[in-house]
Amino acid sequence: MEFDDYVDAGKIASYARKEGKKMIQEGEKLLSVAEYLEDLIRSKGANIAFPVNLSINNEAAHFTPPPNYEATFKEGDLVKLDLGAEINGCIADTAETVEVSTNKWEKLIKASQEALENAIKKVKVGVYTSEIGREIEITIKKYGFNPVYNLTGHTLESYVLHAGLSFPNYNDGSRVRLYPGMAFAIEPFATTGPGRVKGLEFGNIMLLVKKEGKEYLTKVHQFSRGLPFSTRDLSKNFTNWQDILKDAEHNKYFYFYPVLKEGRNEMVAQTEHTIYLREDGPYVTTL
Ligand code: MN
Ligand code: MN
């Protein structure tokens, strides 16, 4: 049953997030954490819904380590760990922010956490998505920070991570009502900056957008199943992955997700849960 798959995917994603939080320590390699967590999700019987994201400081989202990446976590790093599990197309998407060896950004982290808690309290059949956004904005501003205005939560559909509807992090005035059976992720981003992110450089996360044209595309479709994948996935599936990457870029077979950074390079914290809305109220799958 669909609901059960959402629940099971949520449990696995939540477990991986908690394990990942413990691993984010000074001197630990980003690559080891990402690979360990992706293997962990698979070992529990789910697929990864997207590559493990480890975005640091002013990076809000969409950084995943490339193959052979040597960088380690450093003192003072503000790390957004964002990961996902998928079972039969049902996706769990969850994130939290960890500070490495310092407590400088405790309030910023708390602002995004509390914004998510308050947002979830508002979730009910018939409520507008803008009312949820309003709650997020109010909570984050109470802490003296700004929400990131151009990043949103999103509905989840079968094998679709970012489906049709958005969950704004402020009151955008939309009149979209929540309905029973809806699965979605709410993800408040709090920042010390004005609250707009820019995507200027391509990262290591991509999506297959054309399934035909080259033989390798069939294999890419098989391992990615319509979901985002990374250059690490490519490198594990093809020895000539760098040629494939260039070819796919040239022919626009892949969509490349840019690393999203706060426009003035200010700090960003994020917290995210997946929710399945039933008639009687929200079920948070990734607690
Ligand atoms: Mn996420
Ligand atoms: Mn999300």
Side-chain angles (χ1 to χ4, degrees):
M1 209 194 107
E2 188 193 58
F3 177 70
D4 297 329
D5 289 337
Y6 272 108
V7 170
D8 291 344
K11 275 186 195 152
I12 294 167
S14 165
Y15 176 70
R17 191 193 67 232
K18 287 167 189 160
E19 287 301 300
K21 187 180 179 181
K22 291 187 242 168
M23 288 179 80
I24 297 172
Q25 303 272 353
E26 208 174 328
E28 179 77 65
K29 278 187 181 182
L30 276 76
L31 184 63
S32 316
V33 173
E35 298 263 278
Y36 178 83
L37 295 176
E38 289 172 3
D39 288 343
L40 182 66
I41 290 166
R42 291 186 184 108
S43 76
K44 297 285 169 191
N47 293 303
I48 62 161
F50 53 87
V52 168
N53 284 216
L54 292 164
S55 310
I56 297 180
N57 297 338
N58 60 314
E59 295 168 349
H62 297 168
F63 181 83
T64 197
N68 308 315
Y69 194 63
E70 291 292 329
T72 58
F73 294 108
K74 294 183 182 59
E75 184 185 326
D77 277 352
L78 189 63
V79 185
K80 274 72 58 184
L81 166 65
D82 192 340
L83 53 79
E86 172 266 306
I87 297 175
N88 296 323
C90 298
I91 296 169
D93 179 4
T94 185
E96 72 180 297
T97 301
V98 185
E99 194 174 343
V100 180
S101 307
T102 53
N103 287 307
K104 212 179 150 195
W105 304 106
E106 219 175 349
K107 258 183 67 185
L108 188 66
I109 296 170
K110 191 81 187 67
S112 77
Q113 283 172 343
E114 205 178 295
L116 180 58
E117 282 165 26
N118 291 345
I120 291 170
K121 284 181 200 155
K122 289 273 166 184
V123 171
K124 199 167 87 171
V125 171
V127 159
Y128 293 136
T129 53
S130 54
E131 292 175 67
I132 313 275
R134 180 176 180 272
E135 197 63 25
I136 292 171
E137 185 177 20
I138 288 173
T139 308
I140 292 174
K141 286 194 166 159
K142 221 167 51 192
Y143 277 88
F145 303 115
N146 285 314
V148 173
Y149 293 96
N150 59 342
L151 285 177
T152 66
H154 46 93
T155 41
L156 299 156
E157 282 168 18
S158 183
Y159 295 100
V160 184
L161 179 59
H162 291 158
L165 297 176
S166 296
F167 283 74
N169 287 320
Y170 67 104
N171 180 2
D172 68 345
S174 63
R175 291 280 186 269
V176 178
R177 292 185 191 276
L178 306 192
Y179 55 84
M182 193 181 196
F184 51 95
I186 301 182
E187 47 185 311
F189 288 84
T191 178
T192 53
R196 297 220 157 251
V197 293
K198 291 178 182 167
L200 300 173
E201 307 153 32
F202 291 133
N204 290 286
I205 304 175
M206 61 216 83
L207 188 70
L208 180 66
V209 289
K210 274 189 208 162
K211 281 184 248 175
E212 275 137 43
K214 292 279 161 64
E215 211 172 303
Y216 68 79
L217 297 174
T218 310
K219 194 168 176 186
V220 173
H221 180 62
Q222 277 167 3
F223 72 72
S224 67
R225 300 153 293 115
L227 291 164
F229 58 95
S230 69
T231 42
R232 288 183 285 107
D233 296 316
L234 274 185
S235 75
K236 284 171 200 161
N237 282 279
F238 304 100
T239 46
N240 60 335
W241 67 274
Q242 278 155 319
D243 299 331
I244 285 175
L245 192 63
K246 274 188 206 124
D247 188 68
E249 202 173 344
H250 179 253
N251 289 299
K252 300 194 164 58
Y253 293 142
F254 300 165
Y255 166 78
F256 291 85
Y257 291 87
V259 178
L260 300 171
K261 295 182 182 177
E262 207 286 329
R264 293 197 194 160
N265 292 326
E266 293 275 347
M267 297 300 249
V268 183
Q270 172 209 20
T271 314
E272 178 176 26
H273 277 311
T274 292
I275 293 142
Y276 189 97
L277 183 55
R278 300 194 296 191
E279 282 287 1
D280 60 350
Y283 184 93
V284 183
T285 70
T286 50
L287 274 183

